[in-house]
Amino acid sequence: MTTARVLFLSTLLILGALTGAALHAETSAKSDLKVGFVPGPYIDEFKVGVAPELEKKGYRVRYVEFSTGLEANNAVFKGEIDANVMQHTIFLNSYNERQQTDLVGIVHVPTPPMGLYSKKHPVGSPIKPGSTVAVPNDPVNLQRALWILRDLGLVEIRDSKPVDVSELDVIKNPGGIKIVPLEAAQAPRALDDVDFAAIQGNFAIYSGLKLTNAFALEKMTTPYINVVAVKQANAGSPWAQDIVAGYKSQTFKTTILSDRFYDGFTLPDYLKR
């Protein structure tokens, strides 16, 4: 084989390798990542602990804020954003069931528990018969609120699928607690009008409430720890796995564990000391 032919073939191999590397780079890393959030601590967690890791890998993160979880999920399903951070697995499964969609969680995130709060009664005082209690009006989070009331000995409830829960599932209410369903995001403002409100952790923190000032906090289990949600087809994509790696990075761990703001949050296993 002539020297010229060897050089020609070598050049082709090098060009092929470079082209393959370029194609891999294009498919493994998007230039932009659009991530959605609702009011709460999740956007700040992401900005200070995850985004720096993604930016090191060449991503430009774009933040999109929504007022409701339904809007944030619809945006992921329609491809308007790549991922969202605002819901637990039970809520996500309920959304998929009702909307016939296929969103999945790819990593758990630090999550403040739902709590029972009051502006009218000091923490530690008894909850009197006939008290009004605002609760979320969506079935999944209504169930969580009813569990808090149950654990305080105020009501008894029947076992129901999360998607089917309503106020009718309260089967015993000896103190005549008045349950007032409303949109979850409105609960903090309702504190001026009701005795108590069961408020999701993200909305409580967003409104300036402290977990340490709750009458009671839910006993949060893994299915109720929030997740990063993406379309199922994207779950194994390089960019989705880079988001997972960002949450599991030392940068994120240091950020969360060194900030007293996150005291009282339920932490994923990868963040436990």
Side-chain angles (χ1 to χ4, degrees), residues 158-248:
R158 66 169 59 93
D159 290 332
S160 300
K161 288 178 60 177
V163 295
D164 296 327
V165 173
S166 74
E167 305 94 279
L168 298 177
D169 288 299
V170 177
I171 53 178
K172 289 187 180 180
N173 185 357
I177 298 297
K178 297 173 184 175
I179 296 172
V180 183
L182 46 74
E183 173 65 37
Q186 304 302 318
R189 287 193 285 272
L191 285 172
D192 291 327
D193 303 313
V194 297
D195 292 298
F196 301 91
I199 305 175
Q200 288 172 236
N202 57 314
F203 293 123
I205 287 175
Y206 181 75
S207 65
L209 296 170
K210 295 182 178 179
L211 300 179
T212 52
N213 290 339
F215 265 69
L217 295 173
E218 70 176 313
K219 299 171 183 176
M220 181 176 279
T221 56
T222 300
Y224 294 94
I225 300 176
N226 280 13
V227 297
V228 177
V230 300
K231 292 188 72 169
Q232 188 173 44
N234 292 329
S237 67
W239 60 262
Q241 291 307 304
D242 283 340
I243 291 176
V244 174
Y247 274 98
K248 293 186 176 182

Side-chain angles (χ1 to χ4, degrees), residues 7 10 49 59 64 73 83 87 98 102-103 121 131 152 157 197 201 210 216 218-219 232 240:
L7 289 173
S10 298
Y59 295 100
V64 185
N73 274 341
Q87 68 197 311
R98 291 180 181 275
D102 62 348
L103 307 189
H121 307 283
S131 293
L152 289 172
I157 57 175
K210 295 182 178 179
E218 70 176 313
K219 299 171 183 176
Q232 188 173 44

Side-chain angles (χ1 to χ4, degrees), residues 15 47 50 63 69 74 86-87 98-100 103-104 117 145 152 175 180 209 224 233 251 256 264 268:
L15 288 174
K47 284 181 176 180
V50 180
Y63 302 94
N74 288 343
M86 55 86 199
Q87 68 197 311
R98 291 180 181 275
Q99 303 296 325
Q100 298 299 297
L103 307 189
V104 296
Y117 296 87
L152 289 172
V180 183
L209 296 170
Y224 294 94
T251 298
I256 299 302

